[in-house]
Each structure stands twice: as C-alpha cells, then as structure tokens.
Amino acid sequence: MSELEGGKILVLIRPDCAPCQRKALQIQENAGAFEEYEILFVSDASLPQLRQIASSYNRAGQRNIYIAQAATKDILHLFGSAEAPSILVFSKEGRLVDTFSGRTPIQEILASL
C-alpha cells in the first residue's frame, strides 16, 4: 500500500458476494470520482478467482485499480471481523478518512472523497 500514490481506497471483497459485485460496478460507474485514488480490491480468493475478479471488476481498464490476494489472517488483522464489502478511504498523506461496511450507498462513499 505504501507504494501506491495519491489517496488510497481498500475494498475487502469476496468472489461469491453479490453486494461486493454491486459495489465494484458502482465504483466503475463513478470512475471519474475515483480518479485521484488508487483502488485496491483485497480478497483471500484463489488465484483463478482473483483473475476472474480482475477481469470483472476492471472492465474499463482503469489504471488505478489493483487486485491483491491476502491470507485470511492478514485480512482480519487489517479489517478486523468486517463485513464484505468493507471500504477504507485514505488521504494522500495515508491518514484513514472514512470506513464503510456492508451495503453502504455509493453516495455516502463519494461524499467522503
């Protein structure tokens, strides 16, 4: 995460999570609002599942979207026992600005950017 430039958004996802899929599509639909941010989708999914996530969640070929695999224990350490999707918004300085969990309306997330 320290290698990403600008503001950062971490998104905890699961491949079988319908709200996660909807949230990823909402992020794509509002791509202009996120252009100042590096978006990192994090999952404990297998590599084949991550490849599918990458092709599904980055259909627009956005250069600021990354997919990362993390062990469940590391996800729990970072997010705690969070509901998927969980979204953490960080400022350019690396300060946590806002946290969203579950079925948060995209308007609330956009308001924190």
Side-chain angles (χ1 to χ4, degrees):
M1 185 169 140
S2 64
E3 295 176 15
L4 300 178
E5 297 179 10
K8 297 157 190 69
I9 298 175
L10 295 181
V11 184
L12 173 64
I13 58 168
R14 289 191 338 256
D16 59 346
C17 167
C20 297
Q21 294 167 9
R22 280 192 297 279
K23 193 59 64 204
L25 289 174
Q26 290 172 342
I27 289 171
Q28 287 178 0
E29 290 167 355
N30 293 277
F34 293 97
E35 63 188 18
E36 298 291 321
Y37 291 84
E38 301 290 334
I39 302 169
L40 183 63
F41 287 96
V42 180
S43 179
D44 64 352
S46 67
L47 288 178
Q49 289 174 311
L50 286 177
R51 286 187 193 98
Q52 180 60 38
I53 290 169
S55 78
S56 297
Y57 291 3
N58 195 9
R59 291 186 194 134
Q62 293 168 273
R63 296 176 188 246
N64 64 330
I65 293 182
Y66 303 90
I67 309 293
Q69 183 182 46
T72 302
K73 68 178 178 67
D74 294 331
I75 291 173
L76 289 172
H77 176 73
L78 178 62
F79 289 92
S81 60
E83 183 179 353
S86 285
I87 299 172
L88 284 76
V89 179
F90 293 87
S91 68
K92 290 180 182 179
E93 298 76 31
R95 191 179 72 251
L96 181 63
V97 175
D98 223 330
T99 303
F100 303 95
S101 185
R103 298 175 189 215
T104 304
I106 191 70
Q107 295 79 10
E108 286 183 36
I109 298 166
L110 294 173
S112 75
L113 304 180

